[in-house]
């Protein structure tokens, strides 16, 4: 099975840039999606297909994917960005969906 | 607009079968480019995909995929007459205690599976005697 690895936590001061990594074997060959989940709420899609933003998601959210690491970047971090962030891919060989373990963002 | 709503018992006894339903409103569950899925989240833990089902244009049979970690305990099915899809998880243990979400992937024919871009609000299921 395919494994996605995310660091458990990231801390950043307001106004700074937060980066979330998602590691996987040759992940650049897959399309990576990112979700934001606030406490008690369902996940919300913030980036799809590596770097595309759904309508309504601020331009501060961006994504990239290269080699064995995909990255979600939040610029000019705000207190309201505090949440858990999950990466997800489709493992085509098995037709399975895989989530990373999630990274908790703390805004200092 | 399209919405998903989970329903089912909040408490299931160990070794029994967990049954949940997701009601789809705002569109037909027989759309051929839609994949309907279940995802769960144990308290304080991350997201885990359970399984998904898609409509072939004729039938839903043979179009399901499951997380192998479930060890064949899960079944996803569709009731087109009620515009609902369901999850059955057999032989549950305390480890199956989680918030269960139903979700939708809208396939665009590109050959790459899309994200889960619509989620239900989730329902907590506890496994306890």
């Amino acid at each position: 099975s395919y494994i996605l690895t995310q660091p458990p936590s990231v801390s950043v001061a307001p106004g700074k840039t937060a980066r979330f990594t998602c590691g996987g074997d040759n992940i650049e060959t897959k399309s990576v999606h990112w979700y934001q989940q606030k406490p008690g709420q369902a996940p919300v899609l913030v980036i799809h297909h590596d770097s595309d933003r759904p309508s309504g998601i601020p331009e501060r959210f961006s994504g990239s994917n290269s080699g064995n690491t995909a990255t979600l970047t939040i610029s000019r971090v705000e207190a309201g960005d505090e949440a858990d962030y999950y990466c997800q891919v489709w493992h085509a060989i098995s037709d399975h969906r895989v989530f990373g373990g999630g990274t908790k963002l703390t805004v200092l | 607009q399209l919405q998903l709503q989970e329903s089912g018992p909040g408490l299931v006894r160990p070794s029994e079968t967990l049954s949940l339903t997701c009601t789809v409103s705002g569109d037909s569950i027989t759309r051929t480019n839609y994949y309907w899925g279940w995802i769960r989240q144990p308290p304080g833990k991350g997201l885990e995909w359970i399984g998904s089902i898609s409509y072939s244009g004729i039938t839903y049979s043979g179009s399901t995929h499951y997380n192998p970690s479930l060890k064949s305990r899960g079944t996803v099915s569709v009731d087109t007459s009620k515009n609902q899809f369901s999850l059955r998880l057999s032989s549950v243990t305390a480890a199956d205690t989680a918030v269960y979400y139903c979700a939708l992937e809208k396939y665009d024919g590109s050959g790459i599976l899309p994200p889960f871009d619509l989620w239900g609000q989730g329902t907590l299921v506890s496994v306890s005697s």
Side-chain angles (χ1 to χ4, degrees), chain A residues 1 31 33 35 37 40-45 47-49 84 86 88 90 94-102, chain B residues 35 39 41 45-49 52 65-68 101 105 108 110-117 119-121:
Chain A
S1 60
S31 197
H33 314 307
Y35 304 86
Q37 186 182 33
Q41 298 182 18
V44 172
L45 181 69
I47 291 289
H48 63 92
H49 297 95
D84 294 324
Y86 295 90
Q88 181 245 318
W90 172 52
S94 59
D95 206 0
H96 293 160
R97 290 72 163 159
V98 181
F99 286 95
Chain B
Y35 291 69
I39 297 134
Q41 185 172 37
K45 296 188 178 181
L47 302 169
E48 180 183 36
W49 171 71
S52 294
H65 298 273
Y66 299 101
N67 190 325
Y101 297 97
E105 297 160 305
D108 60 2
S110 66
I112 299 173
L113 208 62
F116 293 102
D117 66 355
W119 297 64
Q121 66 183 26

Side-chain angles (χ1 to χ4, degrees), chain A residues 6-102:
Chain A
Q6 296 185 251
S9 63
V10 165
S11 299
V12 66
K16 300 299 185 182
T17 298
R19 293 183 178 84
F20 306 83
T21 58
C22 177
D25 183 34
N26 212 20
I27 197 173
E28 66 177 358
T29 64
K30 302 184 184 303
S31 197
V32 181
H33 314 307
W34 291 90
Y35 304 86
Q36 175 194 69
Q37 186 182 33
K38 297 183 178 180
Q41 298 182 18
V44 172
L45 181 69
V46 292
I47 291 289
H48 63 92
H49 297 95
D50 297 339
S51 58
D52 292 338
R53 263 189 329 274
S55 61
I57 300 301
E59 291 184 6
R60 300 184 297 107
F61 288 77
S62 62
S64 63
N65 187 6
S66 179
N68 294 316
T69 305
T71 303
L72 169 70
T73 301
I74 307 176
S75 305
R76 302 181 299 283
V77 166
E78 304 173 355
D81 297 330
E82 198 163 86
D84 294 324
Y85 291 83
Y86 295 90
C87 57
Q88 181 245 318
V89 300
W90 172 52
H91 188 42
I93 295 174
S94 59
D95 206 0
H96 293 160
R97 290 72 163 159
V98 181
F99 286 95

